[in-house]
Amino acid sequence: MEAAADLDELVAHLERTTRMNPTEARRLVAEVVTYFSDTIERFVRRRHQELQVEQYKNDEIFERIAAELCVRRFAAPPLSARQIRRLIYG
């Protein structure tokens, strides 16, 4: 498991270069890996829920999600409001 070894090295680096203990460093690495392994579908659904909680209207949410997709680490094609709506509601 080369990837696990890489993560162990990252955890060790964080321990050496910060004040994190091993548990904190592992938790941070796990959180970052989870964040960057998001699919477009999960990201769109999660952001929709987060923005609804912040009282945004769907038209604003769809526009904002479309803009955020352009700067995310996954290569997402530009999505229309209709495509975003379909990802959320099916």
Side-chain angles (χ1 to χ4, degrees), residues 39-45 47 58-72 74-88:
T39 63
I40 293 172
E41 291 82 4
R42 281 193 309 231
F43 173 78
V44 167
R45 289 184 185 113
R47 284 300 287 149
N58 270 345
D59 288 342
E60 297 169 308
I61 291 173
F62 301 151
E63 186 176 318
R64 187 159 175 179
I65 289 173
E68 290 176 4
L69 285 171
C70 294
V71 296
R72 291 287 295 184
F74 42 71
L79 298 177
S80 67
R82 180 174 183 235
Q83 289 170 311
I84 292 169
R85 188 178 302 110
R86 291 185 92 182
L87 285 173
I88 295 165

Side-chain angles (χ1 to χ4, degrees), residues 15-65:
E15 290 174 55
R16 284 191 311 272
T17 59
T18 70
R19 294 180 179 180
M20 287 186 202
N21 65 45
T23 302
E24 293 168 329
R26 284 200 181 286
R27 187 172 44 234
L28 175 63
V29 169
E31 191 66 33
V32 170
V33 168
T34 299
Y35 178 85
F36 282 113
S37 64
D38 238 358
T39 63
I40 293 172
E41 291 82 4
R42 281 193 309 231
F43 173 78
V44 167
R45 289 184 185 113
R46 179 176 50 81
R47 284 300 287 149
H48 179 256
Q49 288 177 339
E50 291 168 355
L51 293 169
Q52 276 186 324
V53 167
E54 294 180 28
Q55 304 297 312
Y56 285 94
K57 303 280 187 225
N58 270 345
D59 288 342
E60 297 169 308
I61 291 173
F62 301 151
E63 186 176 318
R64 187 159 175 179
I65 289 173

